[in-house]
Every structure is written in structure tokens, then in C-alpha cells.
Amino acid sequence: PTGPMERTFHLTQAALREHLPEATAAQIYNLELGATGPYGVTYSRNGRHCLLFSRRAGSDGKAGHLAHFDAHRRALSGGGGFVGE
């Protein structure tokens, strides 16, 4: 919901990239997560580290995929794996 002092825009990363400085646009990345989602994400306060997580269907939230991602290096740290199996 928007009011008279705010607006909401829906942009794709591709559309946004066209309007960003080159150095900023180079920081856009795409995570292909496959069919194990839906995924949730939580970031550290400084934005460098994020934890990606999913819940496996039928597991009552006790099993799923867990991965640590270094957003500055754009790389998984130590890989990821399934938990609660």
C-alpha cells in the first residue's frame, strides 16, 4: 500500500542494471536455487553474510537446505547441505 508521499515500483534486476553505474551493476548476481525452494534469507547487520534456508515439504519444518553465502565475494562459504535427514 502506498500513500501520497510514497510510491512502489516493480523492477527486474535487468531493468535496474541499465540505470546503475557500471561498478554497481557489476555487483548484481543471480542465484539459481533449483526446485528445493521456496527459500528464505537472512543477512548479517553489515550485509556481508547471508544464510539461505528452505524447508523440505512434508518434514514439518525439521528438514531442508541450509547454506552460508558471502555476499561480498558472491560465493558459498563451505558449500551447503541438507539438514535433518
Side-chain angles (χ1 to χ4, degrees):
T2 60
M5 299 299 289
E6 60 186 58
R7 293 183 185 154
T8 300
F9 296 92
H10 298 278
L11 295 172
T12 63
Q13 285 189 8
L16 183 61
R17 183 186 307 252
E18 297 173 15
H19 303 285
L20 295 173
E22 189 174 325
T24 303
Q27 296 177 32
I28 294 175
Y29 54 88
N30 183 31
L31 294 174
E32 294 185 24
L33 300 172
T36 57
Y39 274 80
V41 63
T42 185
Y43 281 88
S44 62
R45 287 182 180 243
N46 65 7
R48 176 163 191 157
H49 304 281
C50 76
L51 192 62
L52 297 162
F53 56 90
S54 72
R55 292 188 180 135
R56 181 167 289 164
S59 71
D60 296 326
K62 297 178 182 174
H65 188 237
L66 186 64
H68 174 257
F69 185 76
D70 184 328
H72 288 193
R73 293 186 311 127
R74 290 176 279 189
L76 286 174
S77 299
F82 287 95
V83 295
E85 294 187 302

